[in-house]
Amino acid sequence: MSRVHRAVTAVVVMLALGGGASAESPSDLRGIWSPDTSCAETSLRHVIGENTLEWRDGGKRLVLAEVRFLIQADRIGVQVLRTAADGEAPLRPGDVVQYRRVPGGIRPLVIERDGTHTDIAQVRVMYRCRR
C-alpha cells in the first residue's frame, strides 16, 4: 500500500469517526490559492473558506463544495459533503482531496473516490493570493 493511499485511508477513517459536524478550516488556510504568483483572475485557483472549497480555472467555477477539513501535521484532508449543482463537477460528495503544506504554500496531491485515486500532484505549488 503506498504512502498516499495509507494517508488517504487514515483521513477517511478519522473523518468517519469524527461525527456529523463539519470541521472548519484553520484561518491560515482560508483564502485564494494559485500556482500563478500574479494570481490573475483567469488562473487556476483553489478558494478555501471556513467550510467550503471552490475550484476556479479560466475565470470559470469548476466546483463549489461544502467540505469538512482534517488537518494532520503537513497533510490537509478535505472531505466533500455537498456540491452546488453545476453539472458535471470534478468533485462529488464523499470524495477526499489531499493537500500537503510545503514551504510557501500548499500542494494538491490526490482525489480519493470509492477506493480509487486520481493524482493531482502535477499541479505546481499553490501560493496564497495577496489580493
Side-chain angles (χ1 to χ4, degrees):
M1 184 182 297
S2 73
R3 284 180 40 201
V4 171
H5 185 262
R6 284 192 303 267
V8 170
T9 301
V11 168
V12 171
V13 168
M14 292 176 86
L15 287 171
L17 296 174
S22 296
E24 295 178 1
S25 68
S27 59
D28 69 327
L29 285 176
R30 295 179 196 159
I32 300 170
W33 297 84
S34 178
D36 175 13
T37 55
S38 71
C39 207
E41 193 68 36
T42 56
S43 65
L44 175 64
R45 294 168 160 223
H46 288 195
V47 183
I48 299 175
E50 189 174 308
N51 63 353
T52 59
L53 177 64
E54 179 181 10
W55 288 358
R56 299 187 66 79
D57 196 11
K60 294 182 180 182
R61 178 186 290 163
L62 302 176
V63 68
L64 174 60
E66 179 183 340
V67 297
R68 174 184 2 216
F69 292 86
L70 177 66
I71 312 302
Q72 191 173 25
D74 66 342
R75 293 285 183 148
I76 303 162
V78 183
Q79 182 184 33
V80 177
L81 303 175
R82 287 181 259 312
T83 59
D86 283 339
E88 187 61 34
L91 297 176
R92 293 185 266 191
D95 288 356
V96 176
V97 181
Q98 285 287 324
Y99 294 88
R100 172 177 279 157
R101 289 181 195 264
V102 295
I106 59 175
R107 178 182 294 277
L109 299 175
V110 297
I111 300 170
E112 201 263 4
R113 176 182 295 154
D114 299 327
T116 63
H117 297 89
T118 302
D119 181 6
I120 57 173
Q122 68 274 15
V123 175
R124 299 182 310 274
V125 171
M126 300 187 93
Y127 302 97
R128 181 186 298 280
C129 296
R130 298 291 178 197
R131 304 180 186 193

